[in-house]
Amino acid sequence: MTIKEFIVTKSVKLALPIIGGMSDKNLGRFFSLASKAAPTKFTKSFMIALNKLREDKHPIIEMLRRAITRTNPHIRNRLMNSILVKHHWYGSVKRDEMRSQGLAVPGTFLISPTMRCNLHCTGCYAANYSTKDDLESEVIDRVLNEAEELGIFWITILGGEPFIREDMWEIYKKHQNIFFQIFTNGTLLDKNTTKKIAELGNILVVFSLDGFEQETDSRRGQGVFQKVMEGMDLLRESGVPFGFSYMITRKNVNTIISDQFSDMLVEKGCLIGWNFLYMPVGPNPDATLMPTPEQRELIRTHGPQRIRNKKPIFTIDFWNDAPYMGGCIAGARHFFHINSHGDVEPCIFIHMATDNIHDKSLKEVINSPYFKAFRSRQPYGENLLRPCTVIDHPHVLREIYNTCQPYPTDSPICELITSPLSDALDNYSQKVASILDPAWNHEFANFNFTPDTFAPGNVQEKD
């Protein structure tokens, strides 16, 4: 740790308990001071944006106060070290250095240590895997070491069900500078698991839901919803921060975007939420489960963005927030996925790869010709409300496939690029365009995406 890092770490540790009870005026002074001390344009812009939200009396400020005051001090210090000091401070400087050299380094990536799961949810591609399909712990450890060297300190753990692997606790303990966001079905979260999470302090748990009890249990199994509620209670009582994620299908849209659902999550103590659309991927893709084009527009106008502007919970919409990220973030522009076999996929929803982490370094795979093919085409169109190469621009995915010839990673063939699914996606994307293009032209006519405002800019890559 450098002297500057030490000073920043100590300053954050001293300031955080005070911030929660600061007056609005003093909080504004804090954000102003933090923006002046910020090491990069992105961090500076982030602090300026927070101060603007404070001035507008946005609910996110209440959410931040709630996060600070309700989080166990030990966990708060650990999380702020990994999120603020390592990821936003030291990591952003390191990543910018790499980018200035023509090396694309995303701020985060996803990794699935296992595809094993104790549930069999409808539409999920985590099927009947065994321990032989797990990614070796020594490989995970190596990848995380390489990530830290590149300035990546935010890692999302997926599955399968991550808490099925007991050996991962040693990984989380060894890499205490990394912020681990773990997506879970919540059924394995008991008092013992909660205790381990609280002791480590560098983990944010994200519970997967499909709505209230009826919607969740009909897809995941009887009793799952109540297990999730119990898990949330255990974490809240222990001062451990947590969030939620949901997959929107055409069957649960109205529940997911309702005030009743978000109010329940706020009351339970959730701080953040992730909104994902159902994607027809995996062994048994079903295009009929995708939200209709009309529902896409309903989600845009009445979903996560409306909720976070009204309630003290930060909901992220993986599609409708794309304008603020400059479109698609796949191919290591801002993220990618390593599956349990080590295959490096451009996106969690694109099950095709050209490289495996067993054979190459992290630096090599994120700067592969395959990933560069995605980055060179982003964004795929002017309308950033249609950011996705799978369901909004399937012709681009087929073009990249024909150019790079990736291999399928979860079945003999990738059905996304073959008929009849490819035909269904073409029809779907055209119908979505007929609805969202007029919305974009009307509401975003003067939209000016500035990379430094919300996310690091594109890299001028070297061949």
Side-chain angles (χ1 to χ4, degrees):
M1 180 181 291
T2 65
I3 294 177
K4 180 179 284 189
E5 278 187 79
F6 176 79
I7 293 172
V8 172
T9 301
K10 289 297 182 182
S11 299
V12 169
K13 185 175 181 179
L14 291 171
L16 278 175
I18 304 171
I19 293 172
M22 273 184 180
S23 67
D24 183 69
K25 186 176 181 179
N26 286 337
L27 188 61
R29 289 172 176 167
F30 173 80
F31 285 143
S32 178
L33 180 63
S35 67
K36 292 177 181 177
T40 65
K41 290 182 179 179
F42 173 55
T43 310
K44 179 182 180 69
S45 298
F46 182 70
M47 289 299 168
I48 292 173
L50 281 178
N51 200 29
K52 180 64 167 60
L53 291 170
R54 177 198 62 82
E55 293 172 352
D56 294 341
K57 301 188 184 304
H58 196 280
I60 194 175
I61 301 302
E62 181 185 341
M63 184 275 288
L64 290 173
R65 290 186 187 276
R66 188 159 57 101
I68 292 169
T69 56
R70 295 185 183 181
T71 301
N72 178 303
H74 163 72
I75 301 170
R76 185 174 61 210
N77 291 337
R78 285 285 178 85
L79 285 176
M80 290 307 102
N81 172 64
S82 57
I83 296 173
L84 287 184
V85 179
K86 290 298 182 181
H87 176 71
H88 275 299
W89 191 283
Y90 171 76
S92 63
V93 172
K94 184 70 174 177
R95 295 190 299 272
D96 277 359
E97 289 177 359
M98 294 288 182
R99 291 169 184 142
S100 69
Q101 299 169 17
L103 177 67
V105 179
T108 185
F109 63 87
L110 323 176
I111 186 168
S112 295
T114 183
M115 283 303 294
R116 289 181 289 139
C117 187
N118 58 320
L119 300 181
H120 297 276
C121 305
T122 304
C124 180
Y125 54 83
N128 297 319
Y129 289 79
S130 66
T131 54
K132 66 180 177 63
D133 297 299
D134 288 353
L135 188 60
E136 302 89 342
S137 58
E138 58 270 22
V139 174
I140 298 172
D141 181 45
R142 179 199 30 108
V143 169
L144 294 180
N145 283 331
E146 293 179 7
E148 293 188 49
E149 291 175 3
L150 293 174
I152 305 173
F153 292 92
W154 181 315
I155 308 296
T156 296
I157 305 294
L158 304 173
E161 170 50 49
F163 288 121
I164 236 170
R165 280 193 63 166
E166 288 291 327
D167 60 330
M168 286 299 295
W169 294 111
E170 288 302 314
I171 296 289
Y172 305 141
K173 182 178 180 180
K174 180 177 180 181
H175 296 275
Q176 291 189 0
N177 285 328
I178 291 179
F179 165 61
F180 292 101
Q181 181 178 231
I182 303 179
F183 281 68
T184 175
N185 63 41
T187 59
L188 301 181
L189 202 114
D190 53 19
K191 290 183 179 179
N192 183 51
T193 306
T194 300
K195 182 181 178 181
K196 290 179 179 179
I197 294 171
E199 289 174 348
L200 286 170
N202 61 337
I203 291 173
L204 176 74
V205 176
V206 179
F207 293 93
S208 297
L209 286 169
D210 298 286
F212 287 112
E213 188 166 16
Q214 180 180 351
E215 292 94 345
T216 298
D217 286 4
S218 65
R219 179 168 181 259
R220 297 175 180 270
Q222 188 174 0
V224 171
F225 181 81
Q226 286 304 321
K227 287 290 294 182
V228 170
M229 296 298 103
E230 292 168 8
M232 288 183 176
D233 291 340
L234 285 171
L235 293 181
R236 186 186 65 251
E237 292 163 5
S238 300
V240 179
F242 59 92
F244 68 94
S245 73
Y246 43 67
M247 178 185 291
I248 301 186
T249 70
R250 66 182 57 183
K251 297 179 179 180
N252 67 353
V253 170
N254 290 334
T255 296
I256 292 298
I257 66 175
S258 69
D259 283 335
Q260 292 87 345
F261 185 61
S262 56
D263 287 342
M264 180 271 291
L265 294 168
V266 170
E267 183 179 348
K268 275 292 178 180
C270 289
L271 297 173
I272 68 167
W274 290 91
N275 165 59
F276 300 99
L277 302 182
Y278 168 81
M279 301 286 277
V281 297
N284 299 298
D286 184 359
T288 66
L289 283 175
M290 290 191 295
T292 66
E294 293 78 10
Q295 288 175 326
R296 286 273 297 270
E297 173 65 357
L298 181 65
I299 296 165
R300 184 184 76 83
T301 56
H302 291 77
Q305 294 189 43
R306 179 190 68 85
I307 291 167
R308 69 172 178 244
N309 286 328
K310 288 181 58 179
K311 304 178 187 297
I313 190 167
F314 191 70
T315 51
I316 303 117
D317 190 323
F318 211 63
W319 273 259
N320 292 313
D321 283 331
Y324 309 114
M325 299 299 291
C328 174
I329 62 175
R333 177 168 172 259
H334 291 300
F335 94 131
F336 61 94
H337 175 236
I338 301 174
N339 72 13
S340 65
H341 290 149
D343 299 311
V344 188
E345 301 166 336
C347 171
I348 184 63
F349 300 118
I350 300 176
H351 300 168
M352 295 184 283
T354 59
D355 298 291
N356 190 288
I357 203 65
H358 288 96
D359 308 318
K360 295 184 178 181
S361 69
L362 195 60
K363 184 185 295 186
E364 288 176 301
V365 298
I366 62 180
N367 287 278
S368 68
Y370 182 42
F371 279 16
K372 286 183 177 181
F374 281 89
R375 297 197 294 268
S376 67
R377 291 167 171 82
Q378 293 163 342
Y380 310 121
E382 293 183 1
N383 184 353
L384 300 184
L385 294 173
R386 297 193 294 111
C388 182
T389 185
V390 176
I391 63 174
D392 295 324
H393 302 277
H395 65 284
V396 175
L397 185 62
R398 293 195 291 271
E399 179 184 312
I400 294 174
Y401 174 83
N402 290 330
T403 300
C404 300
Q405 292 294 302
Y407 57 85
T409 57
D410 67 359
S411 59
I413 61 169
C414 183
E415 297 188 53
L416 291 175
I417 47 91
T418 59
S419 184
L421 183 56
S422 61
D423 295 335
L425 291 175
D426 282 340
N427 291 332
Y428 179 83
S429 64
Q430 291 168 13
K431 291 178 181 178
V432 169
S434 70
I435 293 175
L436 292 187
D437 282 358
W440 173 266
N441 293 332
H442 175 67
E443 298 180 37
F444 291 81
N446 298 315
F447 183 79
N448 182 24
F449 170 69
T450 304
D452 287 336
T453 302
F454 297 101
N458 290 327
V459 179
Q460 296 299 315
E461 299 186 80
K462 299 177 181 178
D463 295 328

